[in-house]
Amino acid sequence: MKSAYDEMHGANEQVRAHYQIYEQWLQRQPRSTMKARREEAEMIFRRVGITFAVYGAKDEDGAGTERLIPFDLIPRVIPQHEWSSMEAGLAQRVTALNRFLHDVYHDQEILKAGIVPTEQVLGNAQFRPEMMGVNLPGNVYSHIAGIDIVRAGNADGSGDYYVLEDNLRVPSGVSYMLEDRKMTMRLFPELFAMHRIAPVAHYPDLLLETLREVAPAGVNEPTVVVLSPGMYNSAYFEHAFLAQQMGVELVEGQDLMVRDGYLYMRTTRGPKRVDVIYRRVDDDFLDPKAFRSDSTLGCAGLLDVYRAGNLSLCNAIGTGIADDKSIYPYVPKMIEFYLGEKPILNNVPTYLCREADDLAYVLAHMGELVVKEVHGAGGYGMLVGPASTQAEIEEFKAVVKARPTNYIAQPTLALSTCPTFVDAGIAPRHIDLRPFVLTGKSVQMVPGGLTRVALKEGSLVVNSSQGGGTKDTWVLED
């Protein structure tokens, strides 16, 4: 296990150059002031309703619980040169993934070349045969991608960025990125006079621009909507927030209907045609006629409208095949195959439990590895070996042995740490980064992304559902 890279401090506790102004300011802040600011942030977030639902959790009355995602006051700071390299790597990766998706649903050249195993794709639960031969505007499948980046330390004190995961279906969290920035500016306006921090507030404008750019052919003034499963979904705040920020309608399945080969939404003035859906509903629930017949979250006949080219879905049906964890190890080869380039951002070394040799290694070394379910999300369906008891490891071994194709494993990376304001004072906590990559006629992103922080001491699990929090992410402009 590599040592953790400290984002603020280098060798001999020297403050890194891009943190120096901030660190000097932080030293002058009384702890009581920081504590009061944290309480103020919590009060405002609660008032605004920035919460997420916790599935399975109940309050004392038996009702489902909603929680605030904890907001940490100390930002994560990234120098411009690091961001520029990361941005190029993200654009490269998402471009290759979109090329892969188009290929998989058309000529399947990468499968014929033997670079990605055919059975890994065609036998995958995320592969949608209904998408075969369907042509999409610009050949874009994943219009909004959330790519999870971690940094691990090297023996010489340097740190390297790695892609941990590609989220290409319905990635969430961008509302927290925007609200964290607003909160930091509100609580500490003086910091923004002391630093040149790249803005992120224009993300909803970029998102709307992206959605409009992929409207069906011949539609010049597209009607865009956000499709939500409804108020009981864990990310409902974000759905409502983004619809409001873009100035578009927030709809649910019951608001939609298909008529004469087009999709319409019900309005007080009668039906209105819908051209582009930013959907926050999983594939299975989009169309009860085509997928799950018991779904009440989608609209019957929606797939027919989509396949006919009269509707754009962002993200496309079937993108899940490219963010499946069993496909992730092949992304560097995709970049070389489709783009003829070497990957700028590296993958974390990954063992595929479907391979006999890899499975034998994983079972023998499970106590040192992170083992993940290929379709798992939110920190569920995984085992962090070094943080598990022998009994938990043995139990997980039995699960993996029973269904090895369902699991991958990776070395336990010591995610980089960032100073975090906790009850005991300021202490290092592990973090990751989720930049949001938009693809329409071009690839765009706002600088930085959502930094998630594992608030529990020693924990490597940053997911909000597992007690993680978030930080403002600053990219310093030169």
Side-chain angles (χ1 to χ4, degrees), residues 93 97 100-101 105 116-117 119-127 163-169 318-331 334 347 350 352-354 372-377 404-408 410:
R93 190 176 182 97
L97 284 163
F100 169 72
L101 283 161
Y105 291 114
V116 178
E119 69 277 9
Q120 278 292 91
V121 173
L122 304 187
N124 196 294
Q126 298 299 318
F127 178 72
V163 174
L164 187 63
E165 222 167 81
D166 302 294
N167 298 284
L168 307 180
R169 283 177 278 180
T319 54
I321 189 65
D323 78 4
D324 185 277
K325 292 181 182 70
S326 67
I327 297 296
Y328 159 92
Y330 301 101
V331 178
M334 289 178 202
N347 271 20
T350 302
L352 294 168
C353 295
R354 60 187 286 276
K372 300 176 183 177
E373 204 172 6
V374 294
H375 305 313
T405 56
N406 255 31
Y407 292 89
I408 62 156
Q410 295 168 331

Side-chain angles (χ1 to χ4, degrees), residues 78-93 149 161 343-346 445 475:
I78 300 171
Q80 179 65 55
H81 70 275
E82 285 185 10
W83 171 250
S84 296
S85 173
M86 197 189 306
E87 184 178 36
L90 290 163
Q92 178 195 58
R93 190 176 182 97
I149 306 262
Y161 287 112
I344 297 169
L345 289 167
N346 291 318
M445 62 202 91
V475 171

Side-chain angles (χ1 to χ4, degrees), residues 87-142:
E87 184 178 36
L90 290 163
Q92 178 195 58
R93 190 176 182 97
V94 171
T95 299
L97 284 163
N98 269 310
R99 293 277 289 274
F100 169 72
L101 283 161
H102 178 75
D103 185 20
V104 156
Y105 291 114
H106 288 81
D107 298 331
Q108 301 186 341
E109 297 291 347
I110 202 164
L111 306 187
K112 292 170 187 169
I115 290 166
V116 178
T118 299
E119 69 277 9
Q120 278 292 91
V121 173
L122 304 187
N124 196 294
Q126 298 299 318
F127 178 72
R128 301 290 176 182
E130 301 88 349
M131 290 298 290
M132 285 301 297
V134 178
N135 293 313
L136 303 181
N139 297 334
V140 180
Y141 287 72
S142 183

